[in-house]
Amino acid sequence: MSTPRLEIIEQYCKGCSICVEFCPTNVLEMDGFLVKVVRPEACIGCMQCELRCPDFAIKVHKD
Amino acid sequence: MSFDYDKYLRPGKLPHIWCPGCGHGIILKGLLRAIDACELNKDNTAIVSGIGCASRLPGYVDFNTLHTAHGRAAAFATGIKMAKPEMNVLVVGGDGDGVAIGGNHFIHACRRNIDMTYVICNNFIYGMTGGQFSPCTPTGDRASTTPYGNPDPVFDISQLAIGAGATFVARSTSFHAAQIDKLIAEGIRHKGMAVIEILDDCPTTYGRRNKFRSVVDMMKRFKEQAVPVAKAEKMSKEELDSKIVTGILHREERPEYCEQYAQVVKTARSL
């Protein structure tokens, strides 16, 4: 299975950092008031970020 | 697989107005997953709300929606259900809207056991109007109108709903995001008044006044406090003192109001 692809919708992200805190493999980091994908290869596709994001700002695409 | 929320959202309405980290967004997503699981038809579903942060929710969703007077969501929803009993009626609102200002409508909707699903987003505060204390603000906690601590005892929304006669009552928190949609879906499938209380976080007006460093801290306290129903049954009253019991708290079968009323109409016509 290939590594899932993360899509950040920047105009929706409010920088609450919930996804960063709940990611079990530290794929995400805060970059000022926006979230940034810093270690895409570490993503295990657990969907925690997408499930918990209150702002519809992150999507996990699995092929 | 990624859930397609877009098919239920009104185009061009996002980003929503809620503050960064507000739990209402998590509840909105849970609600949409529940509606999807129950395969509700958009044209045959009404989502009703009163006034408040949580009550802004219907504005973002592509169903028949009604944004009504403060606290009166249950009354308007009762009207919809009585006029069109075949419709799926959902009500969304906050703790202040639902059980303070709208407390009267809420308890009587429960008493009648009218077939609707009431999702209460309990964030312990009046967020939109500036952080005044609500009947759900924990005793001793600070709000803009209780700077020295809230002296009032707390309303337990779920127990209030059970006491008033709701036939399905469940509780979850914004931390338990995967549980929210399952409970709401159970509530939608239930014939009668279903109340789903979801404890969520208001980082802006409640969290920062009550020494939570971040919204994640607020969510983690729900994780620590939550106890599933099955486990809670084995615990003493003292042990449960600072805990939140989650899951389906109450379920019973009782005649539904619209059906009872249809019988009255039938009887009157046959005279």
Side-chain angles (χ1 to χ4, degrees):
Chain A
M1 198 185 84
S2 61
T3 312
R5 186 172 59 84
L6 288 167
E7 181 191 354
I8 311 279
I9 302 150
E10 289 192 359
Q11 64 267 38
Y12 293 173
C13 178
K14 292 176 187 154
C16 68
S17 81
I18 288 176
C19 55
V20 175
E21 296 286 337
F22 281 99
C23 176
T25 54
N26 301 317
V27 172
L28 305 158
E29 268 179 24
M30 291 309 292
D31 179 19
F33 287 106
L34 281 178
V35 66
K36 203 175 167 189
V37 182
V38 288
R39 277 174 286 276
E41 70 287 349
C43 181
I44 54 170
C46 69
M47 314 291 288
Q48 285 288 314
C49 54
E50 186 188 300
L51 177 73
R52 295 183 185 281
C53 173
D55 293 290
F56 300 88
I58 189 160
K59 286 181 182 172
V60 182
H61 298 287
K62 295 181 193 176
D63 296 325
Chain B
M1 194 55 216
S2 184
F3 183 88
D4 181 19
Y5 295 101
D6 293 342
K7 65 179 172 182
Y8 294 112
L9 293 168
R10 286 190 177 137
K13 290 288 182 185
L14 290 180
H16 52 58
I17 54 130
W18 297 318
C19 302
C22 174
H24 294 344
I26 298 171
I27 298 172
L28 166 58
K29 290 169 80 177
L31 179 73
L32 296 181
R33 292 195 302 274
I35 287 173
D36 190 72
C38 294
E39 298 177 344
L40 299 189
N41 180 309
K42 277 187 191 179
D43 294 331
N44 198 33
T45 303
I47 304 187
V48 187
S49 71
I51 296 294
C53 291
S55 296
R56 294 293 294 257
L57 188 150
Y60 303 110
V61 293
D62 189 18
F63 296 90
N64 298 288
T65 60
L66 200 57
H67 193 184
T68 73
H70 206 349
R72 273 60 183 161
F76 282 83
T78 301
I80 295 172
K81 191 72 189 172
M82 293 298 288
K84 286 183 171 283
E86 72 282 2
M87 273 196 112
N88 307 299
V89 179
L90 290 98
V91 187
V92 187
D95 50 316
D97 184 64
V99 298
I101 291 167
N104 183 28
H105 300 294
F106 176 75
I107 57 171
H108 291 290
C110 291
R111 173 176 64 88
R112 290 190 176 116
N113 192 33
I114 188 158
D115 185 21
M116 61 167 90
T117 307
Y118 201 133
V119 179
I120 292 206
C121 312
N122 179 3
N123 59 3
F124 315 112
I125 203 107
Y126 281 95
M128 183 172 278
T129 47
Q132 293 85 356
F133 75 113
S134 85
C136 299
T137 306
T139 310
D141 278 8
R142 289 183 172 82
S144 64
T145 44
T146 57
Y148 308 108
N150 172 28
D152 288 14
V154 186
F155 240 164
D156 182 329
I157 297 178
S158 295
Q159 292 302 327
L160 175 71
I162 296 169
T167 48
F168 179 95
V169 179
R171 190 196 278 130
S172 187
T173 79
S174 58
F175 173 80
H176 302 82
Q179 188 189 33
I180 293 174
D181 50 323
K182 291 180 181 66
L183 293 179
I184 297 177
E186 285 281 326
I188 293 171
R189 291 188 189 112
H190 176 79
K191 182 91 180 157
M193 179 74 177
V195 177
I196 294 104
E197 177 191 9
I198 301 178
L199 306 181
D200 75 6
D201 17 70
C202 177
T204 305
T205 64
Y206 177 76
R208 65 182 178 154
R209 284 196 180 90
N210 290 288
K211 300 202 168 108
F212 288 102
R213 282 184 302 130
S214 71
V215 67
V216 177
D217 279 0
M218 300 183 81
M219 290 174 82
K220 285 186 175 164
R221 72 129 159 27
F222 285 143
K223 182 187 176 186
E224 285 154 20
Q225 291 176 334
V227 179
V229 178
K231 192 179 171 194
E233 281 167 1
K234 295 176 194 136
M235 291 168 74
S236 68
K237 204 165 176 286
E238 290 73 39
E239 284 174 313
L240 285 170
D241 225 14
S242 58
K243 300 289 184 192
I244 301 162
V245 183
T246 58
I248 298 170
L249 307 179
H250 179 73
R251 179 155 38 188
E252 66 171 308
E253 295 298 325
R254 204 153 57 78
E256 195 270 329
Y257 187 67
C258 292
E259 287 174 0
Q260 297 293 100
Y261 199 83
Q263 280 298 324
V264 174
V265 172
K266 211 171 155 187
T267 309
R269 280 191 178 148
S270 66
L271 290 175

